[in-house]
Amino acid sequence: MVTLEDLRTPKKNTWCPGCGNFGILRAFTSALVQLGVEKDQVVIVSGIGCHGKMVNYVDVNGFHGIHGRVLPLATGIELTKPSLTVVGFAGDADCYDEGWGHFSHAIRRNIDMTLIVHDNMVLGLTTGQTTATSQKGFKTKSTPHGSIASPLNPVMHALVSNGTFVARGYSGDVKHLTSLIVEAIKHEGFSFIDVFQPCVTFNYLNTFDWYKARVYKLQEEGHDVTDRQMALKKSMEWGERIPIGIFYQEESPSYRESLPQIKDINLTETSIENIDIDPILQSMT
Amino acid sequence: MVTLEDLRTPKKNTWCPGCGNFGILRAFTSALVQLGVEKDQVVIVSGIGCHGKMVNYVDVNGFHGIHGRVLPLATGIELTKPSLTVVGFAGDADCYDEGWGHFSHAIRRNIDMTLIVHDNMVLGLTTGQTTATSQKGFKTKSTPHGSIASPLNPVMHALVSNGTFVARGYSGDVKHLTSLIVEAIKHEGFSFIDVFQPCVTFNYLNTFDWYKARVYKLQEEGHDVTDRQMALKKSMEWGERIPIGIFYQEESPSYRESLPQIKDINLTETSIENIDIDPILQSMT
Amino acid sequence: MILNQISVMIGGEAGAGIARSGFLFAKTCMRGGLHVFGTNDYQSLIRGGHNFYIVRADAEEIYSQADTIDLLLALNQETILLHRNELTHGGGIIYDGEEVELSEDEMGINNVRLYPVPLKSMVKELEARPIMRNTVALGAAIGLLNFDLKIFNGIIKDTFKEEIAKINIAAAKMGFDYACDFSRDQFIGDFEYHLKKTKGSRKKHLFIAGNEAVGLGAIQAGCKFYSAYPMTPATPILHFLAEHERDYGMIVIHAESEISAINMVAGASYAGVRAMTATSGGGFCLMTEGLGMTGMTETPVVIVLTQRTGPSTGLPTYTSQGDLRFAIHASQGEFPRVVIAPGDMEECFYKTMEAFNLAEKYQIPAIIITDKFLAESYSSVKSFDLNRIGIDRGLLSTQLEYAGKEAYQRHKLTGDGISLRIMPGTKGAIVRTNADEHDESGYTTEDPALTVEMADKRFKKLNALIKDLENYETTKFFGPKEAEVTILGWGSTKGPIREAMKLLNKEESRSNYLQILCLCPFPVANVQGVLDSAKLTVVVENNRTSQLSGLIRENLLRDVDHKILKYDGRQFNPQDLSQKIQEVL
Amino acid sequence: MILNQISVMIGGEAGAGIARSGFLFAKTCMRGGLHVFGTNDYQSLIRGGHNFYIVRADAEEIYSQADTIDLLLALNQETILLHRNELTHGGGIIYDGEEVELSEDEMGINNVRLYPVPLKSMVKELEARPIMRNTVALGAAIGLLNFDLKIFNGIIKDTFKEEIAKINIAAAKMGFDYACDFSRDQFIGDFEYHLKKTKGSRKKHLFIAGNEAVGLGAIQAGCKFYSAYPMTPATPILHFLAEHERDYGMIVIHAESEISAINMVAGASYAGVRAMTATSGGGFCLMTEGLGMTGMTETPVVIVLTQRTGPSTGLPTYTSQGDLRFAIHASQGEFPRVVIAPGDMEECFYKTMEAFNLAEKYQIPAIIITDKFLAESYSSVKSFDLNRIGIDRGLLSTQLEYAGKEAYQRHKLTGDGISLRIMPGTKGAIVRTNADEHDESGYTTEDPALTVEMADKRFKKLNALIKDLENYETTKFFGPKEAEVTILGWGSTKGPIREAMKLLNKEESRSNYLQILCLCPFPVANVQGVLDSAKLTVVVENNRTSQLSGLIRENLLRDVDHKILKYDGRQFNPQDLSQKIQEVL
Ligand SMILES: Cc1ncc(C[n+]2csc(CCOP(=O)(O)OP(=O)(O)O)c2C)c(N)n1
Ligand SMILES: Cc1ncc(C[n+]2csc(CCOP(=O)(O)OP(=O)(O)O)c2C)c(N)n1
Ligand code: SF4
Ligand code: SF4
Ligand SMILES: [Mg+2]
Ligand SMILES: [Mg+2]
């Protein structure tokens, strides 16, 4: 059983003081401790951005991949070695801009993994530009006159893509986020958590205060997580009150379960010596 | 004013006899005639696939681009020369697989163009494999044991992306499709039409007969196109009855209208001689 | 009589089953004991247009199609109009005499025999689908050639389900009988070409396409994960592997894009299995970023780049060798890779197996570069020697527990640059890797000295690889040691070149040929050796800028004397090629 | 006293305003009449870590940073520990004496002057934000150097809004006064280095970064459409153009990805405007497919490839020249392109303008290849000659109506391969283009003869381009005609090389230098000429495999004598480089 101490790495943390990423780091490591997993049985995959540094800060297996490709990379790992707990960390630009082409596909395949998006509504590591989730009118160096496009609603898209676990967290509420991550990892199939993660350096709009004044917990208001229609309705709420928590959850076979050849095995453990291709050769004579 | 005859090209049509694409071709050219546009003021953009051949068969300006990139290519054209009528033709693999990363973005920008997706739920030109919209269990050479993932619902995604004109047509009903295309082109902002297009060679499931037995017209059942919530509900219908028609429409400024520098001009017509960069140079001294 | 030496073309519209017919006929020849080569020509469309398939069969070993056609099975008039000039003197055409009217006169060529067969009527009589016209024509051809219909029937039975097989056999018999009936006085007696089952039966032979051989090589090499997005001419690998995935415990995913495919493959390899993807130019573009990531993270992957005519979408169903430099230099920054170009079906199999070994031994990406001509052509080959290439996973530990004394470091600096690879999930070890520059443990670094050390580490592997490659066939030499001209080539030109050599060397030893199998790292010493003793050199390539010549210039500081280049999307024909070579002599 | 010749470093944590301070100090020097060069070093993080900015100022023309530091403004102790060995004898450190305690002894270097200034306290006194410590330190430096505070104040006023300017001016004055007060007996009297406003005021000079010069070049060239996705070190171009888009009637789009960006740009160019994008390696990977499409459809685009250390994500904020071959060979198939490497800020401006002309004249993609060092460094340059490069849009008709007699054909076969380009929307013409191989009208073709004709058409343009390039500066030669060693380089190494030459050629004419500006097509004749008369050649490159040497080998069939390569992510330093060159002599 892993402890918080075990999960620490010698790598110096280079996030800005006060950054919302710290809450996600704390919630994730706490979740691992709560789940009682072994640290060598967890793999985290990250994109490129401030969020991507997670791989440097948690002492579990890790693949710091390229920008926008958390989902296919994690898919390859999960299917090949299902015994691993696979968790992806992506940024909003990483996942909703550059990597948007993978989002609905990983979800509709119901790959058995957890995706945590550090949604700070800004490109952090490239010094603060507009992303898909930036609010209309948001001014940055790439949109000095304000963002024109209406922001993308990742929770809705996950719901519409037939997500089997769709949630939203807030990195200012570590306890709540921890419980979401625990549930997400436990869930069989694709678990998605969009996390409100204040970027204290570049996002002047969606600050801790801004969220504090708005977020409320779905689970405290008796939300029925089995009602996708209601989940969709809830996911549209944006303004004075913004819901966090689990929007929707459903049991449904994960991708792997439809593949008899790997259903209950780690492909990594099958021998590759002396594979008998004779039946195929015969068919070619 | 253009006539159907004017729009014909000398290029021999190479679609399979009976292919659903013929209906789209007929509907599009009829729509142009109805709209009374000049053929040299229309640009069509296509991806790669059977659908992509549209550029060969309609005698208007055309850019047969690469696979999956209809939307950014068309965006570049539209913004630069708003006086043109820009229509994109994409395939389901083209738009919902390879090009999926652009879909929500073009829509949320509300680029003033029309996108027509030839949704045959199969990769046609590569000889019949599974796409994002293929039904679960659909067997092809790439998924010989049947498709595992739940199909993607493009109409829902367009709605969720804040689409301002979201419709579905059926290439077996050319008259209806024509009217949709007319409305789509008239609409200011991004118009999306997902078109059920039977692939008579590779899609053994979603055939003309299959659709004929199922499609019904939203507009004949008093659907309120201004109610996004209802549109979402309607877009979930799949089974015995499947709706076609306009799901949702709304007036909302297109991307271009938020750019004062190009609002009412074709950038192509501004002179590029003697541009005065002195003010910038001054700020650098 | 010309016995057991023939070039047959079957032509018609797309969707008319042309390729399938060619395949069946070729296999019939192979089972009859002949060498066979089959290649198809089709357009980027599904029905209509013009398709053709060439089957060449010979008692001797053959390596490619021929320039000319001895027997044309024309399923429509267009086929005859397009190909009549390719017919040899004394060649024949089987066609539907009730649908197409042709006189020898009109044909404009002497000595061509016309063999009208009422294909359509016969199919009607059988109440079969129009596509069965092919089978009738094949039956007639077999009759005309005095060949053995039983062999054909056997292949039909092996290929189709019972009902379909039955109707095909009936159709073939109809054509066969028609030809034989007639034959006594007009058909067979008239036609010079005959096929006859030979004793040296090719039981152990396979009729296999380049793509299938690559797929088979992957299965045999223990590839457990394959992800790809369809792209001609690489798609058949996806189909082939998907068909067999369940039997071989492999995951085959039709990904949403090539970007996804390469990243999935990288993930699978990191997790610990052999993994592969395949694509063509446009898809390879989309994989370049992932390719660099595998280079940086030292994740072994195999990428098959099946070239077609570019630039851009180009001619999607035609051949080319235009992507060599791109394969060698794709992705930003510098890292070692191998680029291997098999030249025939056997090499497709063995070199794919080798590619997996090299990828894992050096923890690098390995690119197998083929093209439409090689990938989609079929040939009869000796059944594969399954023991020739062993499995060598290099420094990979498959232990379930990590036994090392020090904490495991994925990117440990070592003498030859190769670090122990273990799988995530191994007890007691943390496997961390990073597309950013990293330290030995996989943590991000920006330190200048470490940056150099890590770049050097990766390039040390290149040194080790180059040394190791001396144990591999990176080049092959064919023909007499001394010759008037030395031909240089890579990849699929091998077949036509070897055929051209047959023609050139008939009387004297005029030509020899160096096939370059490993393009990167470039086998400098081998090529140098051959060039040093060459009298005259000519590079043969299916591209416009002669990329191989560029590599020779760069690596050897010397030029070749001549280049024979073809970039119309079509492979070289032997006769034509031999003439072009003759011209430079 | 050392007058008007200094290297100043400002160092501290990221987020502490280091680059901004360096910028202000450098500009102060420039307005004082000096030549200035400024370069920054930062990590891939937003706060913390270690950043530094080097400003070098001189009465003479200078081309790069120096190897050593004369005055260090250390905002934290780490800066001193990391850089104390770079200090010159007699150099000084300004630091917060109340926060950091240092003795010369502890410093381990003789003759370094310590100038403690109570930065933090002063900022407190001013009730200003901690970031203002920089300004206090700058003020102190200006005092210490006996320089003119008024110039600095002027720059502050030009840069900031009134309120912020006021507090900055106050802070600077505080530091300045502290230094001056103290100075009579300890500070100034003690410090050898002085700055003094020179007469030859550099009024007409700009302080500009490579990226800004590229952006300005694009604006001046009439670029009307820019789409990009942020990627260090290309992002500042996006920021620069977005800032000015409204003033110059340009569309600037932050796209959802690089794939989107290149396709948008292609669409805009097809529609008829000049269009550009910029990115670095990973993003360029994603653009390669679109790049090929522009080659095939003959759509002129300008792509700026701003290199950083690879492979893969590598060192995102550090420099490299590792992508040259990739830029030349990216995308499948073969088509002409230009790859141009500016070597300094002026060339960034003029060559960008030229790139637009070449792209449009030959209807090809033009790649401008820079790197982090060039792109993000600043230097004082003579204000640009806005008439030097005219606008040449080649065979583009901007008529609103098509007047041709025959139907317009976008890809008409012509003598030099260049077809008339008109804009869609032109009355009476249909503009059709196609990423598939196409006929003159843009319709898809698969015909072999036409395929060859079209490939030849595109390559004819290359011939025309090569000829035309004789009218452009594709290479530049520096130094004496005869020299012991001829240095060869491309891109940003220019500055350090020219500085190294100053050192080498002090007494005798030991070195000259050929800068290669056009890497593709390679300026064979120019390079040949220089190599022919060179005694000894040495290639200087910021990569590991010496890609330029490879190009020379391939294009000229000759090797260079030596290579000096640096691939730790850092640019060359002049002294170091000159020593390395000396070593090979
Ligand atoms: C292909 C590619 N394009 C661009 C970049 C540059 N880049 C680095 S981080 C980043 C985005 C950061 O934004 P986000 O994903 O939201 O992460 P955050 O820093 O906000 O956590 C980008 C675009 C890259 N590394 N690769
Ligand atoms: C980057 C890239 N990948 C793959 C291909 C191969 N390809 C050609 S058409 C096509 C897809 C066809 O499917 P769809 O878009 O649904 O069009 P349809 O043929 O069904 O109209 C593909 C994958 C390509 N041209 N480019
Ligand atoms: S830039 Fe924003 S997201 Fe990145 S570390 Fe700083 S506060 Fe956090
Ligand atoms: S393959 Fe399908 S989509 Fe393509 S032309 Fe034929 S019927 Fe139409
Ligand atoms: Mg972000
Ligand atoms: Mg389709």
Side-chain angles (χ1 to χ4, degrees), chain B residues 10-48:
Chain B
K11 191 76 189 163
K12 199 184 153 196
N13 192 305
T14 60
W15 286 325
C16 307
C19 171
N21 281 327
F22 288 102
I24 301 181
L25 176 59
R26 230 169 310 132
F28 176 61
T29 49
S30 305
L32 291 186
V33 172
Q34 277 185 36
L35 285 162
V37 296
E38 296 293 341
K39 66 181 203 167
D40 49 29
Q41 301 306 310
V42 178
V43 179
I44 63 178
V45 176
S46 79
I48 302 287

Side-chain angles (χ1 to χ4, degrees), chain B residues 272, chain D residues 213-215 217-223 269 273-277 299-305 336-342 346-370 389-394 421 465 468-469 472-473 517-518 520-521:
Chain B
I272 63 168
Chain D
V214 168
I219 294 176
Q220 180 73 53
C223 174
S269 171
V273 298
R274 291 188 155 189
M276 181 169 96
T277 184
T299 307
V301 296
V302 175
I303 303 172
V304 186
L305 170 52
R337 74 187 79 191
V338 277
V339 179
I340 301 170
E346 282 172 292
E347 287 166 0
C348 282
F349 179 77
Y350 296 117
K351 290 287 158 188
T352 299
M353 291 196 68
E354 276 181 15
F356 277 100
N357 284 347
L358 291 172
E360 284 206 303
K361 278 167 80 176
Y362 300 97
Q363 304 178 11
I364 54 172
I367 298 170
I368 296 171
I369 187 165
T370 67
I389 316 284
I391 301 235
D392 186 345
R393 303 199 68 179
R421 219 175 118 224
L465 169 64
D468 190 16
L469 281 175
Y472 290 77
E473 265 186 328
L517 280 140
C518 183
C520 174

Side-chain angles (χ1 to χ4, degrees), chain C residues 20-41:
Chain C
R20 169 63 61 175
S21 300
F23 177 86
L24 294 173
F25 182 75
K27 246 183 140 166
T28 307
C29 296
M30 185 180 77
R31 287 215 190 151
L34 302 176
H35 282 278
V36 209
F37 187 91
T39 190
N40 62 345
D41 184 301

Side-chain angles (χ1 to χ4, degrees), chain D residues 387-405:
Chain D
N387 299 315
R388 188 185 308 175
I389 316 284
I391 301 235
D392 186 345
R393 303 199 68 179
L395 226 55
L396 172 73
S397 157
T398 53
Q399 302 295 311
L400 298 181
E401 198 152 341
Y402 174 69
K405 274 183 207 125

Side-chain angles (χ1 to χ4, degrees), chain A residues 8-282:
Chain A
R8 222 156 273 156
T9 70
K11 193 71 191 166
K12 199 184 154 197
N13 192 304
T14 59
W15 287 325
C16 307
C19 171
N21 281 327
F22 287 103
I24 301 180
L25 176 59
R26 230 169 309 131
F28 175 61
T29 49
S30 305
L32 291 185
V33 172
Q34 276 185 37
L35 286 161
V37 296
E38 297 294 339
K39 67 181 202 168
D40 49 28
Q41 302 306 311
V42 177
V43 180
I44 61 177
V45 176
S46 78
I48 302 288
C50 295
H51 65 275
K53 299 184 177 181
M54 287 293 287
V55 169
N56 287 319
Y57 305 146
V58 188
D59 197 24
V60 295
N61 300 293
F63 198 135
H64 193 177
I66 49 180
H67 186 52
R69 314 305 167 194
V70 166
L71 290 174
L73 195 53
T75 297
I77 298 169
E78 197 285 315
L79 291 179
T80 308
K81 193 151 190 177
S83 66
L84 295 168
T85 297
V86 180
V87 181
F89 295 91
D92 47 329
D94 192 76
C95 189
Y96 309 142
D97 285 295
E98 186 77 90
W100 185 236
H102 311 298
F103 187 74
S104 296
H105 295 285
I107 297 179
R108 67 188 194 83
R109 287 191 191 108
N110 203 23
I111 299 297
D112 186 17
M113 63 169 286
T114 297
L115 173 69
I116 295 173
V117 178
H118 301 221
D119 190 357
N120 53 9
M121 303 172 187
V122 79
L123 289 115
L125 195 55
T126 51
T127 73
Q129 299 82 7
T130 303
T131 70
T133 51
S134 297
Q135 305 298 290
K136 234 176 175 162
F138 190 61
K139 287 186 186 180
T140 70
K141 285 170 280 184
S142 70
T143 57
H145 310 288
S147 172
I148 298 172
S150 53
L152 187 147
N153 185 326
V155 168
M156 282 192 95
H157 279 280
L159 290 168
V160 163
S161 305
N162 273 326
T164 58
F165 183 104
V166 180
R168 185 192 280 146
Y170 165 46
S171 82
D173 188 339
V174 174
K175 215 177 121 202
H176 179 251
L177 182 57
T178 305
S179 72
L180 285 182
I181 297 176
V182 166
E183 291 309 313
I185 291 178
K186 278 195 203 154
H187 175 75
E188 287 246 347
F190 194 91
S191 311
F192 168 61
I193 313 177
D194 182 71
V195 182
F196 289 149
Q197 174 248 315
C199 167
V200 297
T201 300
F202 296 113
N203 194 323
Y204 57 87
L205 190 65
N206 312 98
T207 60
F208 279 105
D209 286 344
W210 192 89
Y211 287 116
K212 209 177 294 165
R214 284 169 177 78
V215 297
Y216 76 93
K217 294 183 185 128
L218 283 171
Q219 270 64 49
E220 286 178 1
E221 305 206 352
H223 172 67
D224 176 4
V225 298
T226 65
D227 182 346
R228 196 183 291 265
Q229 189 71 35
M230 182 52 72
L232 266 172
K233 209 166 168 177
K234 281 284 167 196
S235 70
M236 287 184 203
E237 283 183 21
W238 193 267
E240 294 304 293
R241 278 167 61 76
I242 302 177
I244 58 173
I246 302 174
F247 285 77
Y248 183 75
Q249 185 167 14
E250 157 195 339
E251 282 197 28
S252 178
S254 81
Y255 193 84
R256 189 178 69 234
E257 286 168 73
S258 304
L259 301 177
Q261 68 268 42
I262 56 157
K263 223 178 141 195
D264 299 308
I265 55 162
N266 285 330
L267 275 184
T268 49
E269 286 154 30
T270 59
S271 161
I272 63 167
E273 299 280 344
N274 304 317
I275 289 170
D276 181 16
I277 58 169
D278 219 54
I280 307 181
L281 294 181
Q282 280 311 320

Side-chain angles (χ1 to χ4, degrees), chain B residues 9 11 40-41 56 59-62 64 72 77 79-81 102 109 261 267-268 272 275-277 283-285, chain D residues 27 31 207 220 245 248-250 253 256 264 267-268 271 273 391 424-425 428 430-435 443-444:
Chain B
T9 70
K11 191 76 189 163
D40 49 29
Q41 301 306 310
N56 287 320
D59 197 25
V60 295
N61 300 292
H64 193 178
I77 298 169
L79 292 179
T80 307
K81 193 149 189 177
H102 311 298
R109 288 191 191 108
Q261 68 270 40
L267 276 183
T268 49
I272 63 168
I275 289 170
D276 182 16
I277 60 169
S283 74
M284 291 173 163
T285 54
Chain D
K27 246 183 139 167
R31 286 217 192 150
F207 189 57
Q220 180 73 53
E245 60 171 334
Y248 290 94
M250 182 190 285
I253 300 196
E256 67 272 23
M264 282 185 186
V273 298
I391 301 235
I430 296 300
V431 185
R432 185 182 298 102
T433 193
N434 201 328
Y443 291 118
T444 305

